[in-house]
Amino acid sequence: MTAIILFGTMIVLLIIGVPISVSLGAATMASLLCFDVPMAVVPQRMFTALDSVSIMAIPLFVLAGNLMTEGGISRRLVDFCNSIIGNIRGGMGYAMVLACAFFAALSGSAPATVLAIGGMLYPDMVRLGYPKERCAGLLTVSGGLGPIIPPSIIMVVYCTITNSSVGDMFKGGIVAGLMVICIYYSNKEKWPKNTERTSIIQLAKHFIHALPALFLPFVILGGIYSGLMTPTESAAVAVIYSFIVSVFVYRELHPRDIYRILLASGKSSAMILFIIATSTAFSWLFTFSGIS
């Protein structure tokens, strides 16, 4: 009965156009009527879901992505990458998958990966002529590569429960297969590529222009690999570095734009965090009721 109310309410609300976050929360509260459990448990679970240092990386990466986009950092990085692999059809799609794979393996958070890489690459890929839907889908799937790429804790736990081979799981996770999808769709849909070969002078020009922006990945990844920073701390450093480069180096970001960027970042972060909070309450009831 609980399962029917839980999933039935959620499906009905989604069909009539209610936002996902509200649908999850409403379905959870409707299902609690079947138990002698106070409704206060829902906000408690929602608060617990967000009371985490790791979750802080999400709004920080949202802000860093907006600063990179508005300040010209992402555009220069994309132009430099495009000058290197732009002659390959769909080359920026390959770059997105690789960037997501490395970042997801480091951060362990699919939402943080989508926000960090997507905020930097997605707008400029659309600007170059890549299909919006394909870019969004590729970005969403690539963000979940963290649990797939070895070494994966989730794989080890799964193999322990099901008595499967950890080695075989790791072998299957080495090649995610997303590159094959890029090859297929880039040729089928004629994704953009450079018709003219990039000269050494043009490549050097793009490299010099992107040099301050290229330090950002080294600062973030170097800090994480060296153990000096956690992914959340690296997100904070990315915000500060993006602000300094955008305002004082590229000078494309004016201090009066900061309020607008903070407001937009706050709205995006609130939407994502609310989905995480209500989905946590939903999953708790799923386990508590014995449906699982």
Side-chain angles (χ1 to χ4, degrees):
M1 184 63 180
T2 305
I4 296 175
I5 298 175
L6 185 65
F7 290 100
T9 304
M10 181 186 68
I11 293 172
V12 170
L13 292 175
L14 289 176
I15 290 175
I16 64 177
V18 178
I20 295 175
S21 56
V22 179
S23 300
L24 291 170
T28 303
M29 298 188 72
S31 302
L32 280 178
L33 297 174
C34 299
F35 297 94
D36 187 19
V37 179
M39 289 292 180
V41 72
V42 175
Q44 288 174 357
R45 292 293 169 177
M46 293 173 62
F47 178 82
T48 304
L50 301 181
D51 188 22
S52 170
V53 176
S54 301
I55 294 293
M56 290 177 58
I58 293 177
L60 288 172
F61 276 126
V62 171
L63 178 57
N66 287 336
L67 288 172
M68 286 187 285
T69 301
E70 296 286 341
I73 296 177
S74 62
R75 188 181 71 253
R76 287 172 173 83
L77 285 173
V78 170
D79 289 342
F80 176 63
C81 293
N82 196 41
S83 65
I84 298 176
I85 59 176
N87 292 323
I88 303 174
R89 188 174 297 280
M92 291 306 301
Y94 307 141
M96 175 184 283
V97 173
L98 287 175
C100 286
F102 283 115
F103 197 91
L106 291 172
S107 67
S109 171
T113 302
V114 172
L115 293 169
I117 305 301
M120 182 172 59
L121 290 182
Y122 178 80
D124 290 287
M125 288 180 66
V126 174
R127 176 178 61 86
L128 292 173
Y130 284 80
K132 292 182 179 181
E133 295 79 5
R134 296 299 184 200
C135 289
L138 186 63
L139 175 64
T140 303
V141 177
S142 300
L145 288 175
I148 299 175
I149 300 174
S152 170
I153 296 176
I154 294 180
M155 283 188 179
V156 175
V157 173
Y158 171 82
C159 292
T160 302
I161 295 174
T162 61
N163 197 26
S164 303
S165 171
V166 178
D168 291 341
M169 290 289 289
F170 279 7
K171 291 176 184 177
I174 293 175
V175 180
L178 292 176
M179 293 294 187
V180 179
I181 296 176
C182 289
I183 295 173
Y184 174 76
Y185 280 107
S186 61
N187 289 279
K188 179 183 178 181
E189 300 178 352
K190 304 300 180 185
W191 288 6
K193 71 173 183 177
N194 293 340
T195 55
E196 298 179 1
R197 296 187 64 84
T198 304
S199 64
I200 299 298
I201 297 177
Q202 290 175 320
L203 180 61
K205 182 180 178 180
H206 286 305
F207 174 73
I208 294 174
H209 287 170
L211 196 57
L214 289 172
F215 276 111
L216 180 58
F218 285 107
V219 170
I220 297 175
L221 298 180
I224 296 175
Y225 271 123
S226 63
L228 296 176
M229 296 185 295
T230 64
T232 303
E233 291 168 345
S234 70
V237 172
V239 170
I240 297 173
Y241 186 86
S242 300
F243 174 80
I244 294 174
V245 173
S246 300
V247 175
F248 300 105
V249 179
Y250 291 143
R251 298 180 180 179
E252 292 191 14
L253 190 66
H254 196 274
R256 64 171 176 268
D257 299 326
I258 300 301
Y259 174 76
R260 175 176 55 82
I261 294 175
L262 287 173
L263 187 61
S265 302
K267 290 180 179 179
S268 301
S269 301
M271 177 181 64
I272 298 167
L273 294 175
F274 192 44
I275 294 175
I276 294 175
T278 53
S279 64
T280 301
F282 184 93
S283 63
W284 169 82
L285 179 61
F286 187 82
T287 304
F288 174 79
S289 61
I291 301 174
S292 58

